[in-house]
Amino acid sequence: MSGRKHASDFYSAYAQGTALYVKWAANRGMSYQEVLVLYSLHAENGITQKSICNGYGLPKQTVNAVVRSLKERGYITLQPGEKDRREKIMTLTAEGSEYTERALGPLFDIEERVCRNIDEERFLRMTETMELFNLLFEKEMERDLQKDE
């Protein structure tokens, strides 16, 4: 099988997975981007918008709009960073933690059931392989961009 076919199959599987999360969010009246921001805050309360952008490949404006909405609803607070006062550290409020648990709890349950059906070693290999693909892809993309300069 060619590298192109492997990449096509990989990207198709990745896109289908993303589409399932988008569908899950839409069925609950949420945007996919809101799910990602809340997911990030649930995993690491006290995170920056930049970290979310980098971790999920979301545009800064998109994350900023979600953050503004969550702040207006009283779900998060923003505090200046210790090293860079312009950088804002986001944390969930008590109400925000409750909302996140209510909103994302069913998603966490689905993920848990799915993960129980995939042995841990295979899941770790899948994650490591995706991270390696992304690293190598980024290097090749940068190399290709340098050729165009």
Side-chain angles (χ1 to χ4, degrees), residues 93-110:
T93 63
E95 188 177 352
S97 291
E98 291 173 16
Y99 172 71
T100 300
E101 284 297 327
R102 261 190 336 272
L104 299 187
L107 176 62
F108 298 150
D109 291 344
I110 291 168

Side-chain angles (χ1 to χ4, degrees), residues 8-145:
S8 175
D9 290 349
F10 171 83
Y11 188 68
S12 177
Y14 168 80
Q16 288 173 27
T18 300
L20 289 170
Y21 278 86
V22 169
K23 181 178 180 180
W24 183 91
N27 285 337
R28 280 145 186 88
M30 300 173 72
S31 72
Y32 174 65
Q33 294 80 6
E34 182 179 353
V35 169
L36 292 180
V37 170
L38 289 172
Y39 205 104
S40 297
L41 285 163
H42 183 269
E44 186 181 338
N45 202 13
I47 191 170
T48 64
Q49 290 183 42
K50 183 177 181 179
S51 295
I52 294 172
C53 292
N54 292 341
Y56 290 97
L58 293 173
K60 184 178 176 182
Q61 301 89 329
T62 301
V63 173
N64 194 16
V66 172
V67 167
R68 233 185 351 255
S69 172
L70 293 172
K71 186 175 184 308
E72 288 170 3
R73 296 184 315 195
Y75 294 155
I76 63 170
T77 60
L78 302 172
Q79 299 296 323
E82 290 180 18
K83 294 178 183 174
D84 183 350
R85 308 286 292 164
R86 294 171 298 171
E87 190 172 65
K88 302 297 181 217
I89 308 296
M90 296 180 294
T91 55
L92 290 167
T93 63
E95 188 177 352
S97 291
E98 291 173 16
Y99 172 71
T100 300
E101 284 297 327
R102 261 190 336 272
L104 299 187
L107 176 62
F108 298 150
D109 291 344
I110 291 168
E111 290 174 332
E112 182 64 33
R113 290 192 306 270
V114 169
C115 288
R116 278 196 302 260
N117 286 299
I118 302 172
D119 70 84
E120 188 173 349
E121 180 61 32
R122 187 173 184 182
F123 207 89
L124 290 172
R125 280 195 322 266
M126 178 180 67
T127 303
E128 289 170 353
T129 301
M130 181 169 267
E131 289 171 348
L132 178 60
F133 179 90
N134 290 341
L135 177 72
L136 295 173
F137 188 89
E138 184 177 34
K139 284 182 181 179
E140 289 300 321
M141 185 176 64
E142 288 172 2
R143 183 181 304 162
D144 195 57
L145 289 172

